[in-house]
Amino acid sequence: MNLQIKEIKSYNHEIRNTVEHFLKSLQGCESSISEYQLKEIISSENSYLFFASSVHDVCIGMLTIGIYQSPTGKKAWIEDVAVDDLFRGQGIGENLITFAIQFAKQHNVDVLNLTSSPARVAANNLYKKTGFQPKETNVYRMALGTNSYA
């Protein structure tokens, strides 16, 4: 499949609808994102939102990358990787992850991280296939706002 991955740099309602579509896929229920939240992501110098589109400009995947500097090095997190149900199993997820790895390298990132629920077997296999190694750690979480997704 001929795939194009592009960074989303401006807001419109279609972008918002697309993000909400993929949030539903990730969370298994209807989800919304406010215009303010999405504009904040798009305008942030540390957050990057990407859509994967087919040759017919149909959006079939999404990925977010957050980059930050810490005393232990420049780090990045891959977040919200989603592929439309109709296009799963066609290598789109692998293309998105490979793209994210290259993007992080271009930004001189020292460590690239992601998390995935153990229940997402295909996703976990993909991450291992693309070179990620499981890290023995505990992830702790504290929801501080009303939009604290699982």
Side-chain angles (χ1 to χ4, degrees), residues 15 83 118 130 132 140:
I15 300 284
V83 174
T130 55
F132 286 87
Y140 296 91

Side-chain angles (χ1 to χ4, degrees), residues 5-73:
I5 300 174
K6 57 186 171 186
E7 183 178 355
I8 304 305
K9 295 185 177 187
S10 62
Y11 173 87
N12 64 46
H13 286 294
E14 185 178 335
I15 300 284
R16 183 176 173 190
N17 291 340
T18 301
V19 169
E20 287 180 342
H21 167 75
F22 287 117
L23 287 176
K24 179 182 177 184
S25 171
L26 286 168
Q27 298 169 355
C29 60
E30 290 295 326
S31 295
S32 66
I33 185 167
S34 73
E35 180 177 335
Y36 173 80
Q37 289 171 307
L38 191 50
K39 284 180 177 179
E40 190 173 30
I41 292 166
I42 292 168
S43 67
S44 171
E45 63 183 45
N46 298 321
S47 294
Y48 304 88
L49 174 63
F50 297 96
F51 286 169
S53 301
S54 70
V55 70
H56 302 293
D57 207 30
V58 173
C59 189
I60 56 178
M62 177 180 82
L63 165 108
T64 306
I65 302 173
I67 299 177
Y68 67 98
Q69 185 69 48
S70 78
T72 56

